[in-house]
Amino acid sequence: VNQPNILHLLSEVRKIAIMLALLTGLLFSHTALAADIARFEAESMSLPTGGTTLSGAWAQANCSGGVCAKLEDDGTATKSITTTTRAEEIRVIAQRGASSTTGVIAINVSVDGVAQAARVVDQLPVDSSMQAYVWTVSVPAGKRTIGVIGSDLAGANSLIFDVVSLDNGASPPADAD
């Protein structure tokens, strides 16, 4: 076997290995950019007066893990978390309760007791799936208390919410949902 051919072959193999390593790094870094910094289920939060968990047939079909939280009175559900990375967004998966037919219902989030700008919870048909409500807010790394605030919940109006996540605000990969 000719030694220059072996050296050339080894050089080509090395180039291919480097290209594969770079491609793998790019794929994994893109996924990491869209990763949640913190994620928790609503039912793991401390619920205020008028807050309950839903775990029946509807929750089994519509909530992550078959359980979610429901606020029937104005209030704030809270959870203490510790992160090692700064977050740029808070996302809450939520919808109006099935009997919420009139008026405006608002959802908001708080970081260490400081409320952000409230969002109106869309009026959806009862059989609609939950929606993501997103707040652009800088959440420094460290121990934080995250709150989900329901307001204008008088009468039959209620707020159902499920997963709360903090992330860095990067767009998720095209195949993620």
Side-chain angles (χ1 to χ4, degrees), residues 78-168:
T78 59
K79 180 155 181 99
S80 292
I81 62 169
T82 302
T83 64
T84 58
T85 305
R86 170 185 220 86
E88 299 299 330
E89 284 184 352
I90 298 177
R91 179 180 312 266
V92 180
I93 305 301
Q95 75 173 55
R96 296 169 74 101
S99 60
S100 301
T101 57
T102 61
V104 173
I105 294 176
I107 185 173
N108 201 347
V109 295
S110 64
V111 178
D112 296 331
V114 178
Q116 305 303 308
R119 304 274 193 273
V120 172
V121 180
D122 296 332
Q123 182 74 41
L124 299 171
V126 174
D127 61 350
S128 293
S129 60
M130 293 199 199
Q131 294 186 33
Y133 294 87
V134 180
W135 290 262
T136 301
V137 55
S138 184
V139 182
K143 185 172 182 171
R144 303 282 167 231
T145 299
I146 304 300
V148 174
I149 305 165
S151 55
D152 301 318
L153 300 178
N157 288 338
S158 62
L159 172 69
I160 298 171
F161 61 104
D162 191 14
V163 176
V164 179
S165 59
L166 285 73
D167 63 44
N168 63 7

Side-chain angles (χ1 to χ4, degrees), residues 59-70:
Q60 290 292 324
N62 294 284
C63 301
S64 171
V67 183
C68 51
K70 180 178 183 179

Side-chain angles (χ1 to χ4, degrees), residues 30 33-35 168-174:
H30 182 68
L33 286 174
N168 63 7
S171 298

